[in-house]
């Protein structure tokens, strides 16, 4: 029986947390790590999609607000890691394979060579159809939001901004060529406290979602997977601009 799992991911803490959460229970054959997209290429693509004013506002938010949130959130981040017994350790070099993009031929070559049963996707670019069809595997993702209402990024934050607590959570779903449009395996709400903010919501979502990811992996390996198909595809959310964040924080205390 094929029990091999590949983690197809971007660099960062979330990838480390996922790996160490799974390593003791499942056979992680490899961690295929995608290199970050060139900054200028990323910005040009975002401007074409969202417009220069919105992208400028998002950059100002990243430059002015995020460093302050990082400085003030250290103790809360450690508290969440301790509460959920998560390991923020570096990945073992023997498991890592670096690629330029998840959508290039090298990624296909590696996947075919390993031939995994499951590919856990985290923090990569949108996967193209050729990657999803390269191997006979289920591609699974933990999405930081409840789909289909909160596709895109920062679903927990936007649900709170919208006073939509019934949709402030995390989704474990199959990956398809769309953006967070794959069939749902599990959904779960998160428990937000007064100590949480824009930076800690995603960590809460990941921490809450990891047990459901493990359950989904077991479902697939034991051939008992059931999913829920979206009836309607909701809005695609993006990063807040500086003025959006300040408005919601100053007038509605949405952190």
């Amino acid at each position: 029986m094929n029990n091999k799992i590949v983690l197809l991911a971007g660099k960062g803490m979330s990838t480390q947390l996922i790996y160490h959460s799974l390593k003791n229970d499942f056979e992680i054959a490899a961690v295929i790590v995608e290199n970050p997209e060139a900054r200028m290429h990323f910005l040009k693509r975002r401007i074409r999609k969202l417009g220069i004013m919105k992208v400028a506002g998002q950059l100002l938010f990243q430059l002015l607000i995020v460093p302050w949130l990082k400085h003030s959130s250290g103790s809360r981040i450690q508290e969440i890691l301790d509460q959920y017994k998560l390991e923020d350790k570096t990945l073992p070099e023997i498991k890592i394979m670096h690629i330029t993009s998840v959508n290039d031929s090298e990624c296909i070559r590696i996947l075919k060579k390993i031939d995994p049963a499951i590919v856990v996707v985290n923090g990569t670019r949108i996967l193209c159809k050729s990657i999803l069809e390269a191997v006979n595997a289920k591609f699974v993702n933990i999405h930081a939001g409840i789909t289909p209402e909160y596709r895109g990024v920062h679903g927990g934050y936007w649900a709170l901004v919208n006073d939509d607590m019934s949709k402030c959570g995390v989704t474990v779903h199959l990956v398809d060529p769309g953006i967070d449009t794959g069939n749902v395996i599990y959904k779960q709400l998160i428990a937000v406290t007064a100590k949480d903010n824009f930076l800690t919501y995603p960590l809460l979502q990941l921490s809450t979602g990891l047990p459901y990811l493990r359950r989904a992996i077991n479902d697939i390996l034991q051939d008992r997977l059931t999913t829920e198909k979206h009836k309607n595809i909701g809005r695609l959310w993006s990063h807040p601009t500086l003025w959006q964040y300040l408005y919601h924080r100053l007038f509605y205390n949405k952190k």
Side-chain angles (χ1 to χ4, degrees):
M1 181 179 178
N2 184 1
N3 292 328
K4 289 184 291 187
I5 296 170
V6 164
L7 180 52
L8 183 58
K11 297 178 180 179
M13 175 193 262
S14 61
T15 296
Q16 295 172 183
L17 296 179
I18 291 172
Y19 173 82
H20 290 294
S21 176
L22 300 179
K23 67 178 182 182
N24 293 329
D25 298 318
F26 305 103
E27 180 188 352
I28 310 297
V31 183
I32 305 174
V33 178
E34 178 185 54
N35 292 332
E37 186 177 5
R39 185 71 169 172
M40 190 55 66
H41 184 271
F42 171 79
L43 288 175
K44 287 180 179 179
R45 180 166 54 81
R46 296 288 290 179
I47 289 171
R48 287 196 299 268
K49 184 177 180 180
L50 301 175
I52 191 167
M53 287 302 296
K54 185 161 189 176
V55 173
Q58 292 173 335
L59 283 174
L60 288 172
F61 171 75
Q62 292 290 330
L63 290 171
L64 300 177
I65 301 298
V66 170
W68 168 60
L69 290 176
K70 283 182 178 178
H71 177 73
S72 61
S73 302
S75 60
R76 176 56 178 157
I77 289 172
Q78 190 59 53
E79 183 179 309
I80 295 171
L81 295 176
D82 293 341
Q83 177 185 347
Y84 289 92
K85 298 180 173 58
L86 300 179
E87 297 181 49
D88 179 23
K89 298 179 180 178
T90 56
L91 300 172
E93 285 294 330
I94 194 170
K95 293 287 186 179
I96 300 174
M97 307 178 97
H98 292 279
I99 57 172
T100 301
S101 168
V102 291
N103 292 316
D104 63 20
S105 58
E106 178 64 7
C107 185
I108 292 177
R109 185 192 68 78
I110 294 171
L111 287 174
K112 285 186 174 181
K113 182 178 181 180
I114 298 173
D115 188 28
I118 299 169
V119 179
V120 177
V121 182
N122 177 67
T124 69
R125 287 164 240 189
I126 303 303
L127 272 61
C128 66
K129 190 175 180 181
S130 63
I131 297 297
L132 296 171
E133 295 178 349
V135 288
N136 186 26
K138 298 290 187 185
F139 287 71
V140 182
N141 175 244
I142 297 182
H143 171 62
I146 296 290
T147 60
E149 293 84 359
Y150 290 93
R151 299 185 303 117
V153 294
H154 302 295
Y157 170 76
W158 289 116
L160 292 171
V161 164
N162 295 332
D163 289 322
D164 193 3
M165 286 302 298
S166 67
K167 293 292 188 296
C168 184
V170 60
T171 305
V172 177
H173 67 95
L174 295 177
V175 179
D176 65 11
I179 302 177
D180 305 321
T181 54
N183 288 7
V184 172
I185 305 174
Y186 292 110
K187 296 180 182 181
Q188 183 61 40
L189 302 183
I190 61 171
V192 177
T193 73
K195 295 181 284 186
D196 290 305
N197 59 46
F198 179 85
L199 284 189
T200 66
Y201 303 141
L203 182 56
L204 273 176
Q205 289 167 301
L206 179 62
S207 303
T208 301
L210 281 170
Y212 292 94
L213 174 62
R214 291 195 292 270
R215 187 183 298 182
I217 290 172
N218 275 318
D219 289 345
I220 294 169
L221 294 178
Q222 296 177 28
D223 197 25
R224 64 185 186 200
L225 179 70
T226 59
T227 64
E228 174 188 346
K229 189 174 183 179
H230 297 309
K231 296 178 182 178
N232 299 293
I233 300 300
R235 175 178 171 180
L236 187 64
W237 299 84
S238 62
H239 299 276
T241 62
L242 173 64
W243 34 90
Q244 282 177 318
Y245 181 82
L246 290 177
Y247 174 78
H248 291 297
R249 175 141 191 165
L250 293 174
F251 293 101
Y252 299 102
N253 196 33
K254 304 299 184 182
K255 298 188 290 183

